[in-house]
Amino acid sequence: MGIIVQKFGGTSVATTERIQNVRNRVMEEVQNGKQVVVVVSAMGKTTDHLVSLAKELSTNPSKREMDMLLTTGEQVTISLLSMALQEAGQPAVSLTGWQAGIQTEKVFSNARIIDIQTDRIQKLLESNQVVIVAGFQGVSEDGEITTLGRGGSDTTAVALAAALGAERCDIYTDVTGVFTSDPRFVKEARKLESISYDEMLELAHLGAGVLHPRAVEFAKNYQMPLEVRSSMEPERGTRLEEEVQLEKGLVVRGVAFEGDVTRITLFGLPKSQAKLSKVFSRLAENHINIDIIIQALTGESKSNLSFSIMDQDIEHTLSVLEQFKDEFEYDKVESETGLAKVSIVGSGMVSNPGVAAKMFEVLEAADATIKMVSTSEIKVSAVIEQEKMLSSARALHEAFDLQEKSASLVK
Ligand code: ADP
Ligand code: ASP
Ligand code: MG
């Protein structure tokens, strides 16, 4: 009997009525003869609410206690869904992350899954139970409860699907699939029938919050068939696949954006590779995520080094840079906040020169100042002023012809 993993996000389980809707979705698969594992998120905005409670009591709450707190959200949903299924005559059992055998590294708030012991789930499935697993959480080797980072329930679902050798993993959410851009802000965005793992991985890393990036990594590594679809509408969603045909002449498949970016610049850093690696090793040791890096030589022996980080890391980054000032030997440091990153993604870019040039023209016409740029074979990203983020994303969406305009492109 084939195993299916279904994942339902916060909006899809926000009320008891919605949990009953989820129950129906689960029972449909059972009636199709499948063994079903369900992964759920916390109800509605519960996680945000728990974060704000913590902030009322502490300016810098311990990450261990934050994980202890946030994992309670998912625990509410698993038990309620299990009760709803049992009420309808369907045997079901809820499991927390540790009960489900999800082992992670010991990194609070952003742990990676390192192993899943599936024996308990397998046994429960064999006894015809629906197994409901709390998303976003796991346990470290020494028994500490960890979380996988915001949006991490997607990763729980895909990792479980891979570990169980599931037929497929369905991610049910509040949109009907993956769109050419976030439909909440770009109203011309249209749903894609399919998207390649690599394109989705870029979009997810570049701010398209519809899937957690590590979920896409698992799906790609295990070639797990994955579909993103609506928990309310019956229509088919977007399939993730290895290779996707280019739509007629469209080199860009999606536009992503994210705000709250800061640029840090170290002026007068001695020009040496050893210095450069020292700076980034120290930042990495302190768990500071660096995104775009630009180095400009300013003479024989000096350089200016800029890199982008998320706003939330500014204070920590500046304190690390100050702490190692004598080791790094820079003259001064400056930070610029209020920035955002807009990106275009598409595997057709590899063979189409001029895409970056066109993007820069569009950004110029949208009156955005390009502060930093980064490219790969299938994406171009630019850091610009945050106040220009949405208008620039819309302008790029239109310029690269992604808007819904001909019925033949839409399914
Ligand atoms: P869930 O709680 O189900 O995990 P999320 O809020 O994490 O839902 O993800 C769904 C949201 O992702 C959508 O409501 C949408 O605003 C946003 N989103 C961002 N980029 C995209 C995109 N390219 N396609 C679809 N949705 C997107
Ligand atoms: N509840 C967690 C969050 O809001 C995890 C998730 O929904 O995937 O980030
Ligand atoms: Mg999500």
Side-chain angles (χ1 to χ4, degrees):
M1 216 197 269
I3 300 176
I4 304 284
V5 177
Q6 300 181 307
K7 180 259 169 179
F8 295 88
T11 321
S12 308
V13 293
T15 60
T16 46
E17 288 75 30
R18 296 225 176 133
I19 289 177
Q20 283 172 324
N21 170 59
V22 168
R23 173 201 62 194
N24 297 342
R25 290 279 180 165
V26 174
M27 290 182 67
E28 276 164 28
E29 289 298 356
V30 176
Q31 275 143 25
N32 287 338
K34 304 295 179 195
Q35 294 183 320
V36 186
V37 174
V38 191
V39 173
V40 284
S41 293
M43 292 171 75
K45 300 260 172 247
T46 301
T47 312
D48 291 337
H49 175 62
L50 293 171
V51 171
S52 62
L53 283 183
K55 289 200 171 139
E56 280 176 28
L57 292 170
S58 167
T59 46
N60 187 19
S62 130
K63 289 192 167 183
R64 180 189 184 278
E65 300 310 329
M66 279 309 283
D67 281 4
M68 187 63 85
L69 175 69
L70 298 191
T71 48
T72 62
E74 272 65 18
Q75 217 165 308
V76 171
T77 326
I78 52 172
S79 46
L80 290 175
L81 178 58
S82 188
M83 288 174 204
L85 282 158
Q86 290 168 4
E87 186 67 18
Q90 170 60 50
V93 62
S94 61
L95 299 177
T96 62
W98 70 265
Q99 289 178 315
I102 299 174
Q103 205 194 312
T104 73
E105 353 161 269
K106 189 180 175 182
V107 175
F108 296 115
S109 88
N110 199 17
R112 283 172 184 273
I113 295 176
I114 45 184
D115 189 30
I116 304 186
Q117 301 284 327
T118 56
D119 333 8
R120 185 166 180 179
I121 297 184
Q122 301 268 20
K123 274 204 199 100
L124 290 165
L125 289 174
E126 277 153 27
S127 65
N128 296 322
Q129 310 251 17
V130 165
V131 181
I132 303 154
V133 180
F136 166 66
Q137 56 177 264
V139 65
S140 68
E141 212 177 358
D142 57 354
E144 293 287 7
I145 290 178
T146 56
T147 64
L148 311 182
R150 295 302 305 266
S153 297
D154 297 334
T155 299
T156 308
V158 187
L160 270 173
L164 290 162
E167 276 176 18
R168 49 169 224 275
C169 180
D170 291 333
I171 304 282
Y172 288 89
T173 183
D174 58 1
V175 279
T176 52
V178 177
F179 281 61
T180 49
S181 194
D182 187 339
R184 210 178 303 180
F185 301 102
V186 180
K187 68 175 189 318
E188 295 78 16
R190 68 188 162 82
K191 189 177 91 186
L192 296 162
E193 229 179 286
S194 56
I195 184 164
S196 71
Y197 293 119
D198 287 330
E199 289 169 322
M200 191 63 235
L201 196 55
E202 288 282 13
L203 284 174
H205 274 298
L206 295 167
V210 64
L211 279 178
H212 194 239
R214 277 187 214 138
V216 188
E217 271 169 38
F218 269 109
K220 179 176 165 60
N221 291 344
Y222 292 87
Q223 295 286 300
M224 177 55 61
L226 190 149
E227 185 166 328
V228 177
R229 56 187 304 182
S230 162
S231 59
M232 306 305 279
E233 318 273 341
E235 69 187 83
R236 289 297 299 269
T238 303
R239 288 183 312 283
L240 265 63
E241 289 169 356
E242 188 58 31
E243 294 275 336
V244 173
Q245 287 274 307
L246 275 190
E247 287 174 321
K248 303 178 221 151
L250 290 185
V251 288
V252 174
R253 198 175 310 266
V255 175
F257 47 87
E258 68 182 339
D260 302 330
V261 173
T262 286
R263 175 172 67 170
I264 304 275
T265 305
L266 295 179
F267 293 92
L269 188 74
K271 185 186 115 188
S272 95
Q273 285 193 24
K275 255 326 151 209
L276 213 54
S277 67
K278 260 276 161 305
V279 173
F280 292 112
S281 320
R282 294 291 188 206
L283 293 167
E285 282 161 19
N286 283 278
H287 302 286
I288 295 166
N289 276 329
I290 308 296
D291 187 16
I292 303 176
I293 299 172
I294 293 176
Q295 188 184 27
L297 302 182
T298 54
E300 286 283 291
S301 59
K302 294 274 186 171
S303 70
N304 294 341
L305 176 69
S306 298
F307 54 87
S308 63
I309 55 169
M310 296 310 288
D311 282 358
Q312 65 194 29
D313 291 330
I314 301 176
E315 279 169 30
H316 190 196
T317 306
L318 292 177
S319 77
V320 171
L321 293 173
E322 182 58 37
Q323 186 187 344
F324 295 103
K325 188 167 197 288
D326 292 345
E327 185 179 19
F328 299 161
E329 296 180 278
Y330 59 84
D331 295 335
K332 69 169 178 165
V333 57
E334 269 179 16
S335 58
E336 184 179 6
T337 53
L339 302 177
K341 185 167 70 172
V342 287
S343 309
I344 51 174
V345 173
S347 36
M349 281 183 201
V350 184
S351 48
N352 280 277
V355 177
K358 180 168 170 183
M359 176 174 183
F360 303 149
E361 274 167 31
V362 174
L363 291 177
E364 195 184 340
D367 206 21
T369 314
I370 300 172
K371 312 263 179 179
M372 301 177 101
V373 171
S374 121
T375 62
S376 78
E377 284 191 326
I378 65 166
K379 69 121 197 215
V380 186
S381 298
V383 172
I384 59 170
E385 307 91 325
Q386 180 146 343
E387 59 188 41
K388 297 284 161 55
M389 177 178 80
L390 289 179
S391 53
S392 298
R394 290 178 191 128
L396 289 167
H397 194 268
E398 191 179 342
F400 285 98
D401 252 356
L402 292 173
Q403 70 278 22
E404 187 154 4
K405 61 174 184 190
S406 83
S408 64
L409 284 176
V410 191
K411 278 270 156 74

